[in-house]
Amino acid sequence: MKFKPQKAVLKNGREVLLRHVEVSDAQRVIDFVHGFVYDSEYVPLSEGEFNPTIAEEEQILSNYVERTNSLFLVAEIDGKLVANINVDGNQRKILRHTAVFGMGMHKEWQSCGLGTAILSAAIDWGRKNPELEILFLQVYADNEAGIALYQKMGFVEHGRIPNFFKQNGRYHDEISMHLSVK
Ligand SMILES: CC(C)(COP(=O)(O)OP(=O)(O)OC[C@H]1O[C@@H](n2cnc3c(N)ncnc32)[C@H](O)[C@@H]1OP(=O)(O)O)[C@@H](O)C(=O)NCCC(=O)NCCS
């Protein structure tokens, strides 16, 4: 289902454009992810693990464009990508009403309301999507901002796996959360 571009105003007064990614954004998305992924404490990717070619990234983005139960939103401020959320609708028939999502943003934009803006837009889209019924996620148990955001949006915890993430010699528990968008 298509996403209609929309604007939101952050706590610091800056205007952000929320829009669906396009295949032609592939290089910008790669650069954007490189700009935050390795210094985000709570993203389970090690240095050097995110290395798609442009052709591979174009294929990934075109899947989001084509799959009616999936979404890849980007947030732009002054024409620069600053945050994204990818909602991966399951492609199996029995699970097509479910989607798992992940999100990230550049550090300097954290705690300004950007997470709230982009996640609200994705949830609204999920509620209007005739296929989707359940959104779910996995989060580091010590990611206070992430968990606060998800709880604020109505997500409820349904499970925890101890020592799920093993990062730089340190273990972190995992929390699973879900939201009904039926
Ligand atoms: C987690 C993340 C998505 C949250 O987005 P954000 O834009 O920083 O969050 P918001 O500013 O919209 O704040 C949402 C809520 O989180 C809480 N919060 C925000 N910053 C916080 C902080 N530094 N510490 C604790 N709680 C915080 C507040 O309750 C806030 O609600 P309020 O604005 O109504 O008070 C973002 O910080 C991020 O991408 N972090 C790095 C990568 C990551 O953790 N991704 C998620 C993986 S599951």
Side-chain angles (χ1 to χ4, degrees):
M1 194 186 87
K2 290 247 183 286
F3 179 87
K4 219 170 133 201
Q6 51 187 260
K7 288 184 176 166
V9 177
L10 304 182
K11 286 179 184 173
N12 58 11
R14 299 296 295 274
E15 190 176 73
V16 57
L17 170 69
L18 304 173
R19 64 168 177 88
H20 199 282
V21 80
E22 290 169 16
V23 175
S24 59
D25 288 314
Q27 183 64 63
R28 295 181 74 203
V29 169
I30 291 171
D31 295 342
F32 155 70
V33 174
H34 278 143
F36 80 92
V37 74
Y38 300 130
D39 56 28
S40 282
E41 270 171 289
Y42 302 121
V43 175
L45 265 180
S46 304
E47 189 76 38
E49 274 184 339
F50 179 77
N51 261 324
T53 62
I54 296 188
E56 286 166 346
E57 188 62 25
E58 284 173 346
Q59 183 56 55
I60 291 167
L61 298 184
S62 82
N63 286 342
Y64 283 104
V65 171
E66 281 159 23
R67 292 177 178 169
T68 51
N69 65 349
S70 298
L71 179 75
F72 192 122
L73 289 188
V74 289
E76 272 185 354
I77 295 177
D78 294 337
K80 190 172 172 234
L81 299 192
V82 293
N84 87 303
I85 184 163
N86 52 296
V87 180
D88 293 318
N90 200 297
Q91 297 307 298
R92 292 189 194 174
K93 212 169 173 184
I94 290 171
L95 294 167
R96 278 196 68 84
H97 63 298
T98 72
V100 63
F101 76 86
M103 59 193 293
M105 70 182 60
H106 281 174
K107 250 197 168 119
E108 68 262 33
W109 292 101
Q110 289 179 12
S111 306
C112 298
L114 182 55
T116 302
I118 196 166
L119 181 54
S120 301
I123 292 171
D124 279 353
W125 171 88
R127 290 208 164 102
K128 288 178 193 141
N129 188 303
E131 289 177 283
L132 284 178
E133 297 180 27
I134 297 169
L135 297 182
F136 66 102
L137 63 95
Q138 292 184 299
V139 60
Y140 285 61
D142 43 348
N143 184 349
E144 283 180 32
I147 291 169
L149 170 63
Y150 304 139
Q151 285 175 336
K152 182 169 109 171
M153 294 290 140
F155 282 82
V156 290
E157 181 178 334
H158 61 261
R160 176 187 282 250
I161 304 176
N163 299 331
F164 188 75
F165 301 105
K166 192 175 175 184
Q167 194 158 342
N168 301 325
R170 200 180 143 215
Y171 290 97
H172 303 255
D173 290 358
E174 174 266 5
I175 289 179
S176 303
M177 303 178 88
H178 73 280
L179 175 75
S180 168
V181 290
K182 199 169 174 193

